[in-house]
Amino acid sequence: MTLAIRSRPPGGAAVRRGRLPGGAVARRVAGHLVRGLVMVWVVATISFVIIREIPGDPVAGQYESLIQKGMSPEQAERAAAVLYGFLPTGSLWEQYVGYMGSLLHLDLGQSLSTPGVPVTTLIGAAARWTVLPVLAGTLLSFLLGVVMGVYAAIKRSGRLGDVLALSGSLLHGVPVYVIGLLLTAIFATLWPIMPSGGPVEIEAVPGLNAGYVGSLAHHAVLPVVTYTLASYGGWILAMKSNVVAVLGDDFILAAELRGLRRGVVFRYLARNAILPLFTVLALSIGMLFGGSIFIEEIFNYPGLGLLLVNSISTRDYALMGGTFLVITVGIVVANIAADLLYTAIDPRVRSGGSA
């Protein structure tokens, strides 16, 4: 009697029959959106209360300074309102209602440390210096960690597997600011082939010209490498663990017994082991909206992380609240995208089976 062994490559016809209908997908998306909005509201409320309780309100300080200079309370109030664009008055509840009403109109207020400039303008200007370096570093570390993690699992009994696993363990345990400082000391001081800080050369003329683009790329090398090395260790260790777990699955054994080429088996391994990492990747990309405070401080990159630090030091609670809110929205959107992406790429989730 001949025993027929069938492999289970991901996305087979049997599991595709269990796809969720369109109505179920719409309900799933709607549920995620509702939960996301609730989460944004909770974070906005908490940040509003905490920030308003921080001592050292610059508006109140300016108001008191004007009174000490001889202005009447009414004159000081009008002058502070002109300087900062508003003057928070009334109870905490009244300020909260006004704050939430502004959020509904996508108005994050005006910066207190930069009078007359909307918070959205400052956040938009800082986001461009955060998104590209962090996105490039995150994707590079993910791709490198996934590939090296597969090899580390397959060659785990040999010297190559030990070296790859050791590299992941070492880099995973080193703080990101230590990596940034080491790269700066080596490539900007001891062997000065890279700029020590700043996003672009001062004399570079902005625009789509070779000089400006080249300067941007040159200044972005060390931050991108820092992001890559800081995340590489986690990706390779997670991928190695997932691949080792998948190696014992029946469909891998069936593929080997059928004599499938090593490249096909490798693809089966990678596609199944990488699925849990997509959620983490989406969340990591969501975190890029917060930037990296340490890296942006080390390399003097005017991104969202540095903007948040400066807003805290100047007690600019309008800018603090706006930055926190942008970070929260980015993480919530990434979380929703991760769940939907996982549902789309894993047929077992669509069919309601166990992952």
Side-chain angles (χ1 to χ4, degrees), residues 123-143:
I123 292 177
R128 60 175 180 167
W129 298 113
T130 294
V131 172
L132 292 181
V134 181
L135 182 61
T138 301
L139 293 180
L140 282 175
S141 64
F142 177 76
L143 295 175

Side-chain angles (χ1 to χ4, degrees), residues 204-280:
V205 179
L208 293 177
N209 55 79
Y212 187 74
V213 174
S215 179
L216 286 176
H218 192 211
H219 281 72
V221 169
L222 288 183
V224 170
V225 172
T226 303
Y227 284 121
T228 302
L229 294 179
S231 304
Y232 162 78
W235 292 124
I236 186 174
L237 294 177
M239 190 63 182
K240 177 187 175 184
S241 177
N242 291 346
V243 171
V244 170
V246 173
L247 280 172
D249 283 357
D250 294 338
F251 74 95
I252 294 295
L253 177 60
E256 292 176 344
L257 290 176
R258 293 180 60 187
L260 295 181
R261 289 180 289 113
R262 181 172 295 272
V264 177
V265 177
F266 183 90
R267 187 168 68 250
Y268 286 179
L269 273 173
R271 290 182 62 185
N272 282 271
I274 203 175
L275 289 176
L277 298 185
F278 274 107
T279 302
V280 183

Side-chain angles (χ1 to χ4, degrees), residues 7-342:
S7 64
R8 184 177 60 84
V15 290
R16 283 202 301 265
R17 286 195 296 267
R19 281 180 180 163
L20 294 174
V25 173
R27 288 191 297 271
R28 180 188 289 264
V29 174
H32 281 303
L33 291 178
V34 171
R35 287 191 294 270
L37 291 175
V38 171
M39 187 180 301
V40 171
W41 170 72
V42 170
V43 172
T45 300
I46 294 175
S47 63
F48 172 86
V49 174
I50 293 177
I51 291 172
R52 290 305 190 278
E53 295 301 320
I54 295 177
D57 183 355
V59 180
Q62 179 68 21
Y63 175 76
E64 294 174 0
S65 175
L66 294 174
I67 290 181
Q68 292 175 359
K69 291 179 180 179
M71 286 189 179
S72 65
E74 292 78 10
Q75 291 174 330
E77 181 176 335
R78 287 195 298 270
V82 170
L83 178 62
Y84 292 105
F86 73 101
L87 185 65
T89 57
S91 64
L92 186 64
W93 170 253
E94 292 173 341
Q95 294 183 38
Y96 173 73
V97 173
Y99 174 72
M100 286 299 171
S102 298
L103 287 186
L104 292 177
H105 294 86
L106 302 180
D107 180 12
L108 299 179
Q110 294 191 6
S111 171
L112 306 182
S113 56
T114 311
V117 179
V119 170
T120 52
T121 301
L122 294 175
I123 292 177
R128 60 175 180 167
W129 298 113
T130 294
V131 172
L132 292 181
V134 181
L135 182 61
T138 301
L139 293 180
L140 282 175
S141 64
F142 177 76
L143 295 175
L144 185 63
V146 164
V147 174
M148 294 298 103
V150 174
Y151 280 104
I154 295 177
K155 306 292 185 180
R156 63 187 182 279
S157 58
R159 182 173 299 179
L160 177 59
D162 293 337
V163 171
L164 292 175
L166 180 61
S167 68
S169 299
L170 290 177
L171 288 174
H172 188 59
V174 179
V176 61
Y177 62 88
V178 173
I179 297 176
L181 290 175
L182 285 176
L183 291 178
T184 302
I186 296 173
F187 297 105
T189 303
L190 298 178
W191 188 26
I193 60 174
M194 292 294 175
S196 58
V200 67
E201 295 291 341
I202 298 177
E203 62 271 15
V205 179
L208 293 177
N209 55 79
Y212 187 74
V213 174
S215 179
L216 286 176
H218 192 211
H219 281 72
V221 169
L222 288 183
V224 170
V225 172
T226 303
Y227 284 121
T228 302
L229 294 179
S231 304
Y232 162 78
W235 292 124
I236 186 174
L237 294 177
M239 190 63 182
K240 177 187 175 184
S241 177
N242 291 346
V243 171
V244 170
V246 173
L247 280 172
D249 283 357
D250 294 338
F251 74 95
I252 294 295
L253 177 60
E256 292 176 344
L257 290 176
R258 293 180 60 187
L260 295 181
R261 289 180 289 113
R262 181 172 295 272
V264 177
V265 177
F266 183 90
R267 187 168 68 250
Y268 286 179
L269 273 173
R271 290 182 62 185
N272 282 271
I274 203 175
L275 289 176
L277 298 185
F278 274 107
T279 302
V280 183
L281 175 62
L283 293 177
S284 299
I285 295 176
M287 290 298 292
L288 71 84
F289 289 96
S292 176
I293 295 175
F294 296 111
I295 295 180
E296 290 182 356
E297 282 192 314
I298 291 172
F299 298 105
N300 193 26
Y301 242 67
L304 289 174
L306 194 59
L307 183 68
L308 179 59
V309 172
N310 294 336
S311 68
I312 294 174
S313 62
T314 58
R315 298 296 189 269
D316 190 343
Y317 54 71
L319 188 55
M320 270 190 283
T323 307
F324 281 135
L325 191 63
V326 169
I327 295 172
T328 301
V329 171
I331 296 174
V332 169
V333 171
N335 199 353
I336 296 174
D339 185 81
L340 297 178
L341 178 64
Y342 198 88

